[in-house]
PDB file of all heavy atoms in Angstrom:
ATOM      1  N   ASP A 252      61.704  66.742 -90.321  1.00 97.00           N
ATOM      2  CA  ASP A 252      61.826  66.111 -88.993  1.00 97.00           C
ATOM      3  C   ASP A 252      61.227  66.936 -87.881  1.00 97.00           C
ATOM      4  O   ASP A 252      61.806  67.171 -86.935  1.00 97.00           O
ATOM      5  CB  ASP A 252      63.293  65.687 -88.641  1.00 97.00           C
ATOM      6  CG  ASP A 252      63.360  64.667 -87.525  1.00 97.00           C
ATOM      7  OD1 ASP A 252      62.241  63.952 -87.229  1.00 97.00           O
ATOM      8  OD2 ASP A 252      64.328  64.384 -86.893  1.00 97.00           O
ATOM      9  N   ALA A 253      60.088  67.479 -88.167  1.00 98.00           N
ATOM     10  CA  ALA A 253      59.345  68.437 -87.269  1.00 98.00           C
ATOM     11  C   ALA A 253      57.941  67.768 -86.963  1.00 98.00           C
ATOM     12  O   ALA A 253      57.664  66.716 -87.242  1.00 98.00           O
ATOM     13  CB  ALA A 253      59.298  69.714 -87.940  1.00 98.00           C
ATOM     14  N   ARG A 254      57.079  68.700 -86.446  1.00 98.00           N
ATOM     15  CA  ARG A 254      55.700  68.272 -86.195  1.00 98.00           C
ATOM     16  C   ARG A 254      54.820  69.389 -86.798  1.00 98.00           C
ATOM     17  O   ARG A 254      55.213  70.516 -86.660  1.00 98.00           O
ATOM     18  CB  ARG A 254      55.412  68.286 -84.773  1.00 98.00           C
ATOM     19  CG  ARG A 254      56.289  67.576 -83.831  1.00 98.00           C
ATOM     20  CD  ARG A 254      56.107  66.071 -83.765  1.00 98.00           C
ATOM     21  NE  ARG A 254      56.860  65.388 -82.771  1.00 98.00           N
ATOM     22  CZ  ARG A 254      58.197  64.931 -83.141  1.00 98.00           C
ATOM     23  NH1 ARG A 254      58.663  65.133 -84.286  1.00 98.00           N
ATOM     24  NH2 ARG A 254      58.844  64.212 -82.250  1.00 98.00           N
ATOM     25  N   ALA A 255      53.815  68.988 -87.467  1.00 98.00           N
ATOM     26  CA  ALA A 255      52.745  69.922 -88.006  1.00 98.00           C
ATOM     27  C   ALA A 255      51.413  69.207 -87.941  1.00 98.00           C
ATOM     28  O   ALA A 255      51.312  68.033 -88.595  1.00 98.00           O
ATOM     29  CB  ALA A 255      53.225  70.376 -89.428  1.00 98.00           C
ATOM     30  N   THR A 256      50.521  69.787 -87.406  1.00 98.00           N
ATOM     31  CA  THR A 256      49.294  69.167 -87.081  1.00 98.00           C
ATOM     32  C   THR A 256      48.094  70.084 -87.422  1.00 98.00           C
ATOM     33  O   THR A 256      48.085  71.401 -86.933  1.00 98.00           O
ATOM     34  CB  THR A 256      49.257  68.706 -85.582  1.00 98.00           C
ATOM     35  OG1 THR A 256      50.308  68.040 -85.252  1.00 98.00           O
ATOM     36  CG2 THR A 256      47.859  67.907 -85.370  1.00 98.00           C
ATOM     37  N   VAL A 257      47.087  69.565 -88.199  1.00 98.00           N
ATOM     38  CA  VAL A 257      45.787  70.428 -88.340  1.00 98.00           C
ATOM     39  C   VAL A 257      44.777  69.599 -87.774  1.00 98.00           C
ATOM     40  O   VAL A 257      44.359  68.535 -88.023  1.00 98.00           O
ATOM     41  CB  VAL A 257      45.500  70.661 -89.727  1.00 98.00           C
ATOM     42  CG1 VAL A 257      44.247  71.496 -89.777  1.00 98.00           C
ATOM     43  CG2 VAL A 257      46.684  71.338 -90.575  1.00 98.00           C
ATOM     44  N   ALA A 258      44.366  70.022 -86.350  1.00 97.00           N
ATOM     45  CA  ALA A 258      43.414  69.195 -85.616  1.00 97.00           C
ATOM     46  C   ALA A 258      42.066  69.846 -85.327  1.00 97.00           C
ATOM     47  O   ALA A 258      41.255  69.362 -84.648  1.00 97.00           O
ATOM     48  CB  ALA A 258      44.071  68.819 -84.286  1.00 97.00           C
ATOM     49  N   ARG A 259      41.996  71.200 -85.895  1.00 97.00           N
ATOM     50  CA  ARG A 259      40.866  71.807 -85.418  1.00 97.00           C
ATOM     51  C   ARG A 259      40.434  72.580 -86.779  1.00 97.00           C
ATOM     52  O   ARG A 259      41.135  73.268 -87.391  1.00 97.00           O
ATOM     53  CB  ARG A 259      41.121  72.773 -84.429  1.00 97.00           C
ATOM     54  CG  ARG A 259      39.969  73.880 -83.950  1.00 97.00           C
ATOM     55  CD  ARG A 259      40.491  74.671 -82.885  1.00 97.00           C
ATOM     56  NE  ARG A 259      39.542  75.895 -82.661  1.00 97.00           N
ATOM     57  CZ  ARG A 259      39.966  77.044 -82.241  1.00 97.00           C
ATOM     58  NH1 ARG A 259      41.207  77.302 -81.944  1.00 97.00           N
ATOM     59  NH2 ARG A 259      39.077  77.946 -82.110  1.00 97.00           N
ATOM     60  N   SER A 260      39.116  72.640 -87.018  1.00 98.00           N
ATOM     61  CA  SER A 260      38.607  73.508 -88.184  1.00 98.00           C
ATOM     62  C   SER A 260      37.076  73.740 -88.004  1.00 98.00           C
ATOM     63  O   SER A 260      36.436  72.986 -87.273  1.00 98.00           O
ATOM     64  CB  SER A 260      38.765  72.459 -89.464  1.00 98.00           C
ATOM     65  OG  SER A 260      37.939  71.331 -89.416  1.00 98.00           O
ATOM     66  N   VAL A 261      36.733  74.734 -88.675  1.00 97.00           N
ATOM     67  CA  VAL A 261      35.224  75.100 -88.604  1.00 97.00           C
ATOM     68  C   VAL A 261      34.773  75.303 -90.144  1.00 97.00           C
ATOM     69  O   VAL A 261      35.466  76.001 -90.828  1.00 97.00           O
ATOM     70  CB  VAL A 261      35.060  76.479 -87.911  1.00 97.00           C
ATOM     71  CG1 VAL A 261      33.618  76.951 -88.014  1.00 97.00           C
ATOM     72  CG2 VAL A 261      35.598  76.371 -86.489  1.00 97.00           C
TER      73      VAL A 261
END
Side-chain angles (χ1 to χ4, degrees):
D252 199 13
R254 310 279 187 272
T256 309
V257 181
R259 177 177 163 213
S260 62
V261 176

